[in-house]
Amino acid sequence: MSTPTGSAHERMMRLLHAPVITQALAVAAELRLADLVAEGPRDVKDLADASGTDPGALHRVLRALAAEGVFTETAAGTFAATPLSDTLRGGADSLRDWARLWGLPERNAALGALRHSVRTGQPSFPHLYGTSWWTHLATHPEQAAIFAGAMGDLSRRLHAATLDAYDLSDVSLVVDVGGGHGHLVAELLRRHPRLRAVLLDQPAVVARAAAVLGPAGVADRAETVGGDFFTAVPPGADVYLMSMILHDWDDERAATLLGAVRRAMRDDSVLLVVDAIVPAGDVPHDGKIRDLIMLTLHPGRERTEAEFAALFAGSGLRLTETREVGASTGLLVARPAD
């Protein structure tokens, strides 16, 4: 990580202005501006016509993003793509839906109420809206689609790459616990042609998995199961996988979930957990920022390696290996303790 430049006041101003850039990115993603400039530079009037926006206002957004390296102004009022803007294009390596997620007003309101969470230790989302984030998504399908797409953005690239740290070549059956619409399963099956998978999530969630597994050409090797993973998990798999699941829950609920997984595991089964592994001290880590999102939205949290080990031990599992793969995720390997 490069050392920040400028005076302390200048650096603090950049930190304070970061939410403005985030909202500009969310707007750019929603309007598909990166796709519009993918083939070459375009005049802002042309972009405004294509996106149904006001040319003057759009120019101000593009100018601000270009100053951050997202887009580049090649001539007065003409903007072109950059490697950063390419990450907001639709496609396999896209972060477009992840950016759109930051534009959801209820989510942003919960983050804006961080002070409530700090004072009470409780998530601010139910304080503001009288319901949980998950129940809110269930009743707002358009936002649920953005959330699912954002998780798909991460699963296809980041989480699947994290699992490359573990050798799956001799594995026959994986159960993805809380696997959503199946983006991670689809990527794993694509990478490992001999692998079979079971996707477990709520019935309404896995009902949409066909739209992911079919086009990926892996539907014949994937089974979907609708159910409650706190209660029962399909038994007898070689590998059980939880990708960004445990951080959604407090220690009590996480232990209940791990207990259900442990009951389903054979003595030689393996549990792979993809999650942030928060380091100690001042080390920069994305998990430390995401932990504040968890604080406002969920009863969950990001955890240290020691906290994961304690969770596993209380559920009849033992942590056997930890791999810090990147600044966003790590891989924890657990096996039955007896």
Side-chain angles (χ1 to χ4, degrees):
M1 181 176 178
S2 61
T3 302
T5 59
S7 70
H9 281 81
E10 290 169 336
R11 288 157 54 193
M12 179 55 70
M13 286 295 286
R14 286 198 293 271
L15 288 172
L16 292 171
H17 288 164
V20 182
I21 296 300
T22 298
Q23 291 308 306
L25 289 168
V27 168
E30 190 67 36
L31 297 176
R32 295 186 177 273
L33 299 181
D35 293 286
L36 293 176
V37 299
E39 300 302 322
R42 294 180 70 169
D43 177 83
V44 71
K45 178 64 167 63
D46 182 30
L47 289 171
D49 289 342
S51 59
T53 56
D54 177 80
L58 183 61
H59 180 266
R60 293 159 74 175
V61 169
L62 287 166
R63 179 177 60 186
L65 290 177
E68 300 295 327
V70 186
F71 307 110
T72 180
E73 192 167 11
T74 58
T78 299
F79 292 87
T82 67
L84 274 179
S85 69
D86 284 344
T87 67
L88 299 180
R89 293 175 58 187
D93 291 329
S94 175
L95 288 173
R96 177 175 177 264
D97 280 326
W98 185 251
R100 293 175 71 206
L101 187 64
W102 285 92
L104 298 185
E106 294 90 346
R107 187 176 187 271
N108 289 329
L111 290 168
L114 175 62
R115 183 170 55 182
H116 169 83
S117 295
V118 173
R119 282 177 169 168
T120 66
Q122 300 299 315
S124 58
F125 192 93
H127 169 71
L128 293 175
Y129 297 105
T131 190
S132 72
W133 168 248
W134 302 119
T135 302
H136 172 81
L137 289 181
T139 56
H140 292 75
E142 71 292 345
Q143 294 191 17
I146 292 173
F147 177 80
M151 296 304 101
D153 285 349
L154 299 186
S155 294
R156 281 188 298 269
R157 188 171 184 273
L158 181 63
H159 301 166
T162 299
L163 287 169
D164 285 342
Y166 190 86
D167 184 8
L168 293 172
S169 59
D170 292 330
V171 173
S172 298
L173 180 62
V174 170
V175 173
D176 188 356
V177 180
H181 293 175
H183 292 97
L184 184 53
V185 159
E187 184 61 24
L188 289 178
L189 294 181
R190 186 188 66 78
R191 296 182 184 210
H192 302 280
R194 296 171 54 192
L195 189 64
R196 294 182 299 111
V198 176
L199 173 65
L200 170 67
D201 213 309
Q202 298 175 14
V205 175
V206 296
R208 300 184 180 182
V212 174
L213 301 173
V218 299
D220 60 328
R221 291 187 285 129
E223 177 187 355
T224 58
V225 175
D228 178 0
F229 55 37
F230 288 109
T231 303
V233 173
D238 304 305
V239 169
Y240 288 83
L241 170 63
M242 286 192 287
S243 178
M244 310 302 285
I245 299 298
L246 287 177
H247 75 163
D248 287 335
W249 307 101
D250 61 22
D251 286 353
E252 181 180 359
R253 294 294 276 167
T256 299
L257 171 53
L258 287 169
V261 173
R262 174 62 186 94
R263 290 192 297 273
M265 295 172 72
R266 306 188 310 250
D267 290 342
D268 61 345
S269 296
V270 175
L271 170 63
L272 302 180
V273 172
V274 177
D275 233 319
I277 305 173
V278 179
D282 294 340
V283 178
H285 194 278
D286 189 53
K288 295 179 178 181
I289 304 301
R290 291 212 309 264
D291 190 43
L292 300 184
I293 302 174
M294 308 311 296
L295 178 60
T296 57
L297 289 184
H298 305 296
R301 62 188 306 132
E302 307 294 351
R303 294 179 171 89
T304 65
E305 181 182 27
E307 289 169 333
F308 277 114
L311 269 182
F312 294 151
S315 305
L317 297 161
R318 58 186 174 88
L319 178 63
T320 60
E321 186 178 356
T322 301
R323 300 189 184 186
E324 183 60 59
V325 179
S328 293
T329 59
L331 178 67
L332 301 109
V333 182
R335 300 175 184 274
D338 47 32

